[in-house]
Amino acid sequence: MSAISERRERERAQRHRLIVATARELAETEGWEAVTTRRLAERVEYSQPVLYSHFDGKDAIVAAVALDGFTELAGHLSRARQAAPDPGQSLRAVCHAYLDFATERPALYDAMFVLPTELRFASAETPPPLRACFDEFVSCFDPGDERRELSAEVIWSALHGITVLSRSGRIPVGGQEERLDFLVARFGTAENGPADLGS
Amino acid sequence: MSAISERRERERAQRHRLIVATARELAETEGWEAVTTRRLAERVEYSQPVLYSHFDGKDAIVAAVALDGFTELAGHLSRARQAAPDPGQSLRAVCHAYLDFATERPALYDAMFVLPTELRFASAETPPPLRACFDEFVSCFDPGDERRELSAEVIWSALHGITVLSRSGRIPVGGQEERLDFLVARFGTAENGPADLGS
DNA sequence: ACCGGATCCTAGCAGCGCTAGACATCCTGT
DNA sequence: ACAGGATGTCTAGCGCTGCTAGGATCCGGT
């Protein structure tokens, strides 16, 4: 009973991963609109109902892909931050890495930020990988800065806005590097910022 | 021939507006996922094919709603800017108005910025209402500032990011006012900004 | 009065997410 | 060794979606 059921559980976990990986691959090569339960089932060589024995529905599969994406993004940002030549440039490095990630993996980025998923963030159980991404931004600021979380939130918002608005052409697609420079200059360390405006 | 066909054209234009208005109302009361061609056709008391004699498809209807939204937003921002007590506070007023608009009309905002539509922005024929929205931000900066367009792009991006990330709970829903203050402080006039960082 | 064209609706297609129920397969207890 | 039950999988189908072909109907112009 034990060895056999363990093997089955192992196989089941592997198939779980296969489904997520296949969904992601399909999305990255043909776009999310091509990711249907039928096509996905065919690709993993199982019937549709098998998908539903692993996930509550399609949204849950997208959410699983998004979670993988957050983990990857966290690593990507962390490496960029630690590779920065000096701490003063870590913010720029992390921001640059973020925009890189978004433009190089648009489908994955959509799963993480645009598509409707069942992921809940605000509540207590914020997925750790998402928190890790956020913390990479926070770490770029002086630990003594009591507004570093606020800075991180606004920086992230700006980067996300730049990503989606330029991608859809609502702002010109060119000039990303210039925007990045501008953003980092304005949001660099508080010491370089404008006069303190209280509270 | 002339009077009658004119009347028909008038009626046709009115029905066109009716479709757009109904789609918007349906979206604002029940969400865009409730806006189906069947339900919409039933609401306007015509059959489905009539919709397709006015629009190329559902996306085109969403785009029409979005275009109305851009017009409204432009007026909203313009009023806010002109009502600002002094020019130095116009940027804050416009940003505040933007966030207001986004939170008070989430469905309309989604049509304008989130949902897939066939609207093309980057090309030469950027819809005038969208350009008008953008110009409201630009107008908050000194005409002599050669980077006012860049400022407007980044400000807009940040506002959009704040809107969608807080709405989905990826950043905390509270503290919008604080983010707004922070953003405006950092992006106020260049004179108040950090030390010039070249180019 | 009647013809011709514009207008509109009925009916249906292919595809979607999802699920009930039949079928097979394999482990377990005697 | 074998029956019985649990487990796992598939076939088939439901209600919905966006969209369209083809026929009926109505109405203005001659």
Side-chain angles (χ1 to χ4, degrees):
Chain A
M1 152 171 184
S2 101
I4 287 176
S5 64
E6 272 179 22
R7 187 213 59 201
R8 290 212 194 172
E9 205 156 328
R10 229 166 32 230
E11 288 172 349
R12 190 173 167 77
Q14 182 158 352
R15 195 171 58 180
H16 187 102
R17 285 191 299 270
L18 173 65
I19 293 170
V20 176
T22 306
R24 172 175 169 174
E25 186 184 327
L26 192 51
E28 287 184 332
T29 56
E30 305 185 30
W32 278 109
E33 73 280 359
V35 181
T36 70
T37 56
R38 275 170 239 271
R39 260 195 281 257
L40 183 53
E42 194 187 8
R43 290 259 181 139
V44 298
E45 296 180 315
Y46 283 94
S47 67
Q48 275 181 287
V50 169
L51 302 179
Y52 293 90
S53 76
H54 284 272
F55 300 93
D56 279 351
K58 190 187 172 183
D59 282 1
I61 298 176
V62 177
V65 174
L67 216 52
D68 279 5
F70 283 120
T71 303
E72 275 186 37
L73 177 59
H76 195 62
L77 297 183
S78 177
R79 281 189 297 276
R81 187 169 61 83
Q82 285 162 7
D86 85 272
Q89 296 189 317
S90 63
L91 180 62
R92 191 185 194 287
V94 170
C95 290
H96 193 98
Y98 185 97
L99 292 180
D100 264 3
F101 183 91
T103 55
E104 276 172 22
R105 296 171 175 82
L108 189 55
Y109 191 86
D110 278 346
M112 297 160 65
F113 289 105
V114 181
L115 295 182
T117 74
E118 57 181 16
L119 278 184
R120 283 293 146 255
F121 301 93
S123 57
E125 73 285 1
T126 301
L130 176 59
R131 181 68 213 182
C133 292
F134 183 69
D135 284 341
E136 288 301 324
F137 286 106
V138 175
S139 300
C140 293
F141 294 94
D142 178 7
D145 183 357
E146 61 187 8
R147 297 203 288 185
R148 59 209 289 252
E149 296 243 341
L150 179 60
S151 296
E153 288 168 7
V154 178
I155 281 268
W156 190 341
S157 297
L159 291 173
H160 177 67
I162 288 172
T163 298
V164 300
L165 292 186
S166 70
R167 183 194 290 181
S168 66
R170 281 165 175 87
I171 59 177
V173 283
Q176 291 293 73
E177 206 72 23
E178 206 178 347
R179 290 185 195 112
L180 176 61
D181 287 334
F182 191 63
L183 184 68
V184 172
R186 294 291 170 131
F187 277 96
T189 59
E191 295 82 25
N192 297 337
D196 194 325
L197 286 128
S199 74
Chain B
M1 152 169 183
S2 101
I4 284 176
S5 63
E6 273 179 21
R7 188 211 60 200
R8 289 211 186 164
E9 204 157 330
R10 229 163 36 226
E11 287 172 349
R12 190 173 167 78
Q14 182 158 352
R15 196 171 58 179
H16 188 102
R17 286 191 298 272
L18 173 65
I19 292 171
V20 176
T22 306
R24 171 175 171 176
E25 186 183 328
L26 192 51
E28 288 184 330
T29 55
E30 304 184 32
W32 278 107
E33 74 279 358
V35 181
T36 69
T37 55
R38 274 172 238 274
R39 261 196 281 259
L40 183 52
E42 194 188 10
R43 290 260 182 138
V44 299
E45 296 178 315
Y46 283 94
S47 68
Q48 276 181 287
V50 169
L51 302 180
Y52 292 90
S53 76
H54 284 271
F55 299 93
D56 279 350
K58 190 188 172 183
D59 282 1
I61 298 176
V62 177
V65 173
L67 216 52
D68 278 5
F70 282 119
T71 304
E72 276 186 36
L73 176 59
H76 195 60
L77 297 183
S78 177
R79 281 190 298 277
R81 186 170 61 84
Q82 284 163 7
D86 86 89
Q89 295 189 317
S90 63
L91 180 63
R92 191 185 193 288
V94 170
C95 290
H96 193 97
Y98 185 97
L99 293 180
D100 264 3
F101 183 90
T103 55
E104 276 172 22
R105 296 172 175 80
L108 189 55
Y109 191 85
D110 279 345
M112 296 159 66
F113 290 104
V114 181
L115 295 183
T117 74
E118 57 180 17
L119 277 185
R120 284 293 146 255
F121 301 95
S123 56
E125 74 285 0
T126 301
L130 176 60
R131 180 69 212 183
C133 292
F134 182 69
D135 283 340
E136 287 301 323
F137 286 105
V138 175
S139 299
C140 293
F141 294 94
D142 179 6
D145 183 357
E146 63 187 8
R147 297 203 288 185
R148 58 210 291 251
E149 295 243 343
L150 179 60
S151 296
E153 288 169 8
V154 179
I155 281 266
W156 190 340
S157 297
L159 291 173
H160 177 66
I162 287 172
T163 298
V164 300
L165 293 184
S166 71
R167 182 194 290 182
S168 66
R170 281 167 176 85
I171 59 176
V173 284
Q176 290 293 73
E177 207 71 24
E178 207 178 347
R179 291 187 195 110
L180 176 61
D181 286 336
F182 191 63
L183 185 68
V184 173
R186 295 289 169 134
F187 277 95
T189 60
E191 295 81 24
N192 298 337
D196 196 324
L197 285 128
S199 80

